[in-house]
Structure formats: structure tokens, C-alpha cells
């Protein structure tokens, strides 16, 4: 999974990027994109490690992309934004950071603090960008459909979907609202439209409001979370054992990093299953509703091809019984077939034969 951190200039994007990834973009550098990979926090893994004492432990990963802020107030800034669109489109989820903090030494974007306005502007810009691609493609399809070609039928289907997309975008609705089926989605997947991706709004607030939930999730956003990027960045400087108390002082229970990753996972309908053994304990990312055979394929294509069954135990059952052997003795280890819908936290042992 890859998340793009975008938003107006000086809203705290790079500060948040640093808080989440512990990677400080070089100050004084020309604005440019930065990417970093972080482990998805998973409190179940240390328990499995204790049980198995594996040679290797692997967490699921998320990539974060820090995109330089651009002012959407002028043509120059909007042209800059277009420059970053390909990498934004290359991500799976958009994290839009807006400023809600007071800081007299940081100039205010458009001389005001207006989170809802900033989020709406950003959304509108993404709508325009997608509409641009849709319109160009529709014009091309119209021309091509006048000639009999081998791909005629396919193109006609694509055109129907894109026309619906254009209608949605013209009404300022995200393109995702025009996608009715997996087949629709497949037809336009190659465009990787920005407004087809789930968006998470981050309100970068002052520390005294970091624990106040955002009352109204703005339209077209999957969720909205408050956080104080400045404080969250400062905890990177602290010894691990002092971090919880530092955040506790501002009423925050879970670091921004964990909260943000969890929210992105949720927005994308993702979850994790686990594998364990003496060699490796590992978490794997899959979409909710994934079948056992596809989960097996995530580990290795051979495991899907030669799938026999998935020995499955839930994390809770494993903890309750103490270890795999006693879980088995207690009848808590199930033998699941190809079409079993994997649950979050399931520990799978794939039996296969190739
Ligand atoms: N008071 C306060 N200042 C912040 C906060 N987050 C960022 N800043 C400051 O705002 C300025 C811009 O932050 P930066 O992360 O570079 O913004 P970007 O342009 O969106 O990447 C920097 O001087 C930060 O120190 C915050 O939560 N509170
Ligand atoms: Mg920045």
C-alpha cells in the first residue's frame, strides 16, 4: 500500500511525514518528493515472536510519499500540481493535510485558516485533473468508434463507463461514485484516477485539540483525523519508553503514525493475516473478503496453484490456548478450504502440493 501525503503549502505535510517515517526531508533542498517505507504496527506480532522465536520477523509495509505543497490560488501553482499528479496517481490512498494550528512564524495559506475550504479546493483540483483525462479519452474513443476495429466492443463499454464518470465529475462528485461494478473498475483501472482513491483528511491542529475528534467528516472523504504533527514529530527524538507519557500529556493514546496507518488501511478495506514458524513470523496485507486460496497466492503462487487446505487458528484462540499444539488439541485449529474468507488476525498454515 502506498499513501500520498498532499495538501496546501505549510500545512505540516513534511512534519507529518517525518513523524510517521522518521525520515527528515533534507532542509534547504528544492521542493521534491520523498518516499519512505514503514512497518504497519501490529500488536499481535510480538506475541507470535515470543511463541516461535523465529529467525526473522516481517511486518506488513506501507509506503508514504511526501508531495511538496502547491498553491492552488494561481496558474503557476496549479501547473506545479499537475507535475506531481503521476506520482499521486501511483498511490492507493490520499492523505490530505490541512492547517488548523496557530503559529505566527508560519505564513497562512491564502491568509486564513479554513480547513473545510482547503479540503474542498484540493478535492476540486483532483476532480479537474480526472475530468481532463476522462474528456481527452472520450474524444479519442469517439473518433476510434467511427472506424470498425477489433476492440470496438471493449471500447464501447469503456465509453459508457467514462461517460458516467464525466457526469459525476462535472457534478463535483468523485469518480468512485460512478463505478458500479468490478467490471467497470477493470475497464478504467489503467488510468488510476485520483478521485477513485479513498481520501483521508488530516487536520493538523494545536496540541490542546489533538484529542478532540473531528465532528463532521467532510464530504467525499472516507474519514477525518486530528493530530498535532509538530508534537508527533518531537516524539521521534525521545527514548521509546518516554513517548507514551509525552503523548498522554496532550490526551493522545495512540501515536499519529499508528492512527494514520490504521485509518488508511480502513479506508482501503485492507486487513492482515499472519504466518508463523521457526523461520519467520510475518504479517501479510490483503483486502477484506479475500479467499484462502488468494491469501495463499500472496505468499507464493505455488501455494495457490497446489492449494490443499489452510490450517487456520484465530489469534485470540491461539492466545487463549497458549500455543499451536494446545490450540489443535482444543479443536481450535480449523481445516479451511479454498473459498474460506480469511479474517483479520487469522494465522494460516497453507498445505499445498505442486
Ligand atoms: N505550531 C505548529 N507548527 C507546525 C505544526 N506542523 C508544522 N508546523 C510548522 O509549519 C511549518 C511548515 O511545516 P511543513 O511540515 O514543512 O509543511 P509542508 O509545507 O506542508 O510540508 C514548519 O515551520 C513547521 O514547523 C503544528 O502542528 N503546530
Ligand atoms: Mg513539505
Amino acid at each position: 500500500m502506498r499513501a500520498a501525503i498532499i495538501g496546501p503549502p505549510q500545512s505540516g505535510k513534511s512534519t507529518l511525514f517525518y513523524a510517521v517515517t522518521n525520515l527528515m526531508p533534507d532542509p534547504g533542498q528544492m521542493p521534491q518528493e520523498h518516499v519512505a517505507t514503514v512497518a504497519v504496527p501490529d500488536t499481535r506480532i510480538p506475541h507470535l515472536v515470543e511463541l516461535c522465536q523465529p529467525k526473522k520477523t516481517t511486518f506488513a509495509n506501507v509506503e508514504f510519499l511526501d508531495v511538496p505543497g502547491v498553491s492552488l490560488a494561481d496558474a503557476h501553482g496549479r501547473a506545479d500540481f499537475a507535475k506531481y499528479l503521476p506520482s499521486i496517481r501511483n498511490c492507493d490512498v490520499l492523505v490530505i493535510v490541512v492547517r488548523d494550528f496557530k503559529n505566527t512564524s508560519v505564513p497562512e495559506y491564502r491568509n486564513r485558516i479554513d480547513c473545510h475550504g482547503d479540503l474542498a479546493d484540493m478535492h476540486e483540483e483532483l476532480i479537474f485533473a480526472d475530468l481532463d483525462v476522462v474528456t481527452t479519452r472520450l474524444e479519442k474513443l469517439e473518433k476510434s468508434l467511427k472506424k470498425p476495429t477489433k476492440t470496438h466492443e471493449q471500447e464501447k463499454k469503456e465509453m459508457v463507463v467514462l461517460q458516467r464518470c464525466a457526469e459525476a465529475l462535472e457534478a463535483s462528485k468523485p469518480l468512485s461514485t460512478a463505478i458500479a461494478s468490478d467490471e467497470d473498475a477493470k475497464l478504467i483501472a489503467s488510468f488510476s484516477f485520483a478521485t477513485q482513491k479513498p481520501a483521508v483528511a488530516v487536520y493538523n491542529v494545536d496540541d490542546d485539540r489533538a484529542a478532540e475528534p473531528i465532528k463532521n467528516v467532510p464530504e467525499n472523504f472516507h474519514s477525518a483525523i486530528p493530530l498535532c504533527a509538530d508534537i508527533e514529530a518531537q516524539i521521534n527524538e525521545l527514548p521509546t519508553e518516554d513517548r507514551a507519557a509525552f503523548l498522554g500529556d496532550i490526551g493522545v493514546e495512540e501515536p499519529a503514525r499508528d492512527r494514520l496507518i490504521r485509518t488508511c488501511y480502513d479506508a482501503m478495506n485492507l486487513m492482515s493475516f499472519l504466518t508463523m514458524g521457526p523461520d519467520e513470523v510475518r504479517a501479510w496485507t490483503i483486502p477484506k473478503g479475500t479467499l484462502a486460496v488468494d491469501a495463499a497466492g500472496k505468499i507464493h503462487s505455488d501455494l495457490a496453484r497446489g492449494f490443499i487446505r489452510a490450517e487456520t487458528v484465530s489469534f485470540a484462540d491461539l492466545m487463549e490456548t497458549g500455543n499451536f499444539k494446545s490450540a489443535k488439541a482444543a479443536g481450535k485449529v480449523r481445516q479451511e478450504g479454498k473459498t474460506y474468507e480469511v479474517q483479520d488476525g487469522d494465522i494460516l498454515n497453507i498445505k499445498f502440493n505442486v
Side-chain angles (χ1 to χ4, degrees), residues 42-61:
D42 193 325
T43 52
R44 297 167 295 208
I45 288 190
H47 294 281
L48 299 188
V49 167
E50 206 183 301
L51 271 185
C52 303
Q53 305 290 328
K55 292 190 196 112
K56 192 174 160 197
T57 305
T58 312
F59 286 80
N61 279 331

Side-chain angles (χ1 to χ4, degrees), residues 260-339:
L260 188 60
I261 294 174
R262 212 160 33 75
T263 311
C264 290
Y265 248 57
D266 202 42
M268 299 201 54
N269 223 10
L270 295 174
M271 60 175 207
S272 304
F273 75 91
L274 306 148
T275 52
M276 64 175 200
D279 287 332
E280 189 181 29
V281 162
R282 180 161 180 172
W284 306 81
T285 305
I286 47 170
K288 285 181 189 158
T290 297
L291 304 182
V293 65
D294 298 321
K298 174 99 194 168
I299 302 172
H300 196 287
S301 56
D302 281 354
L303 270 62
R305 206 154 44 85
F307 186 97
I308 300 169
R309 61 180 195 275
E311 271 192 333
T312 308
V313 59
S314 74
F315 176 76
D317 283 345
L318 183 71
M319 286 300 106
E320 210 179 292
T321 48
N323 60 46
F324 195 79
K325 215 169 157 188
S326 26
K328 211 161 186 176
K332 297 289 187 187
V333 178
R334 294 167 269 132
Q335 305 298 327
E336 301 286 5
K338 279 186 177 177
T339 56

Side-chain angles (χ1 to χ4, degrees), residues 149-210:
T149 57
K150 273 197 219 140
T151 49
H152 212 95
E153 280 313 304
Q154 194 69 5
E155 288 182 347
K156 259 204 276 192
K157 281 189 197 160
E158 187 189 332
M159 188 148 165
V160 172
V161 179
L162 285 179
Q163 272 163 346
R164 268 208 327 269
C165 291
E167 273 169 38
L169 294 168
E170 273 156 13
S172 286
K173 291 209 177 75
L175 194 138
S176 53
T177 59
I179 311 293
S181 64
D182 286 349
E183 199 190 344
D184 284 2
K186 254 190 212 138
L187 281 166
I188 58 161
S190 63
F191 297 106
S192 214
F193 289 115
T195 64
Q196 205 182 340
K197 303 176 197 301
V200 173
V202 169
Y203 289 63
N204 189 8
V205 296
D206 286 308
D207 53 5
D208 58 346
R209 283 186 297 137

Side-chain angles (χ1 to χ4, degrees), residues 13-14 66-69:
K13 297 179 298 300
S14 296
D66 181 29
V67 181

